[in-house]
Amino acid sequence: MTEKQFGRIEEALSKYNFDIKDEDVKETVKKLIAEKVAANDTPEVKRFMFGSIELTTLTTTDSDESVLQLVEKVNKFDNEYPNYPHVATLVTYPRFTKLVSESLEVEGVIPTCVSGAFPSSQALIEVKTVETGLAIRDGAGNVDIVMHVGQFLSGDYETVCDEIQQQKETCGDVPMKVILETGDLGSCANIKKASILAMYSGADYIKTSTGKEKVSATPEAAYMMCQAIKEYYDETGIMVGFKPAGGINSVMDALIYYTIVKEILGEKWLTNELFRLGTSRLANLLLSELEGKEVKFF
């Protein structure tokens, strides 16, 4: 990165306040949950959240057969549950992108892949950009990459931003989510700083977690990221999406994230383009609550 680019990073960071105490954020989020979540516990909100799900399979045992089975379930869903929205995306490793893009029959469900040496991001940038480019060639309509957390924690913001920028250049018009791995960042101030750097480097969404670390999404991380998105929007006029992922184990977890987005960013962020939920188990849980009986469709 050139000296000019480094200067832009410093200038960008200077516009935001990073004097943030973790305990203050924790108390604010606790109060927000206690006062606001119950009002959103409605069938209408649950239907909306279903349509924001990024149905995900990212396991070592994934195969053409298992991925195709999941695709077929998405294809059948419209016929079996015609009164519900379909999921927003289907997320796989890049090697399955072509299979998914050629097999999905439901208009509006976006073939999505993780890329850039997911989940560690520990590969040469040349490898990351090639992997991303091949996924887009094969039909990826969204791409999720991981910020280089080690370089961020070392204070090497130039490399962090440069790698995000290069991968965004490879994506072109294809929306790119940047995973911050918030559970490894250590503080709310770092979460906000990583959010700002990712957005200034070209992120179309910022995402909490890969789901592969000990700590994944938390309400505090979500609050901090949404606050950063709001301040970035106020500064630039650019709307960046938000995706909590990892550890969304219940409908209540999802309602908490929905409420945080609603309270911090407002109604205009409550679309399945700007708000996504990275989870698979949530689909059956929401269907079960909406249907009033246990459903194991996905």
Side-chain angles (χ1 to χ4, degrees), residues 103-124:
S103 304
L104 263 177
E105 299 170 358
V106 183
E107 185 177 351
V109 179
I110 303 171
T112 300
C113 76
V114 295
S115 187
F118 177 95
S120 69
S121 197
Q122 298 287 11
L124 298 170

Side-chain angles (χ1 to χ4, degrees), residues 5-196:
Q5 288 172 311
F6 177 77
R8 285 205 292 265
I9 292 173
E10 293 300 303
E11 181 183 359
L13 292 178
S14 71
K15 297 176 181 178
Y16 300 89
N17 174 37
F18 300 105
D19 183 17
I20 301 160
K21 293 180 173 59
D22 290 359
E23 283 303 313
D24 291 346
V25 173
K26 188 174 182 179
E27 286 303 311
T28 299
V29 171
K30 182 179 178 181
K31 182 179 179 183
L32 187 154
I33 291 171
E35 295 180 355
K36 301 294 184 177
V37 171
N40 296 318
D41 189 359
T42 68
E44 292 75 21
V45 169
K46 291 170 186 175
R47 287 170 62 89
F48 164 76
M49 292 195 301
F50 188 90
S52 292
I53 288 175
E54 299 213 338
L55 201 63
T56 303
T57 180
L58 297 170
T59 71
T60 305
T61 56
D62 286 345
S63 65
D64 288 352
E65 292 76 15
S66 67
V67 170
L68 189 57
Q69 285 177 1
L70 189 57
V71 173
E72 288 173 349
K73 288 178 181 178
V74 174
N75 288 340
K76 291 177 181 177
F77 183 80
D78 267 2
N79 290 328
E80 298 200 24
Y81 292 92
N83 296 321
Y84 292 109
H86 53 65
V87 296
T89 74
L90 182 54
V91 186
T92 65
Y93 283 110
R95 66 167 291 135
F96 302 110
T97 303
K98 187 175 183 181
L99 173 66
V100 173
S101 63
E102 291 179 349
S103 304
L104 263 177
E105 299 170 358
V106 183
E107 185 177 351
V109 179
I110 303 171
T112 300
C113 76
V114 295
S115 187
F118 177 95
S120 69
S121 197
Q122 298 287 11
L124 298 170
I125 185 58
E126 293 85 353
V127 174
K128 296 179 183 182
T129 53
V130 167
E131 184 180 41
T132 298
L134 290 172
I136 292 170
R137 178 203 68 182
D138 286 345
N142 277 186
V143 171
D144 293 19
I145 68 165
V146 185
M147 180 188 76
H148 200 299
V149 177
Q151 295 305 110
F152 174 86
L153 293 173
S154 298
D156 183 6
Y157 303 146
E158 303 98 302
T159 296
V160 170
C161 293
D162 189 49
E163 290 198 354
I164 294 171
Q165 287 171 351
Q166 287 192 50
Q167 290 179 86
K168 180 53 187 172
E169 287 170 8
T170 301
C171 288
D173 293 334
V174 173
M176 183 182 78
K177 307 185 198 83
V178 178
I179 304 167
L180 307 181
E181 205 65 281
T182 53
D184 291 338
L185 295 183
S187 70
C188 288
N190 273 349
I191 291 170
K192 184 177 181 181
K193 185 174 290 186
S195 299
I196 296 297

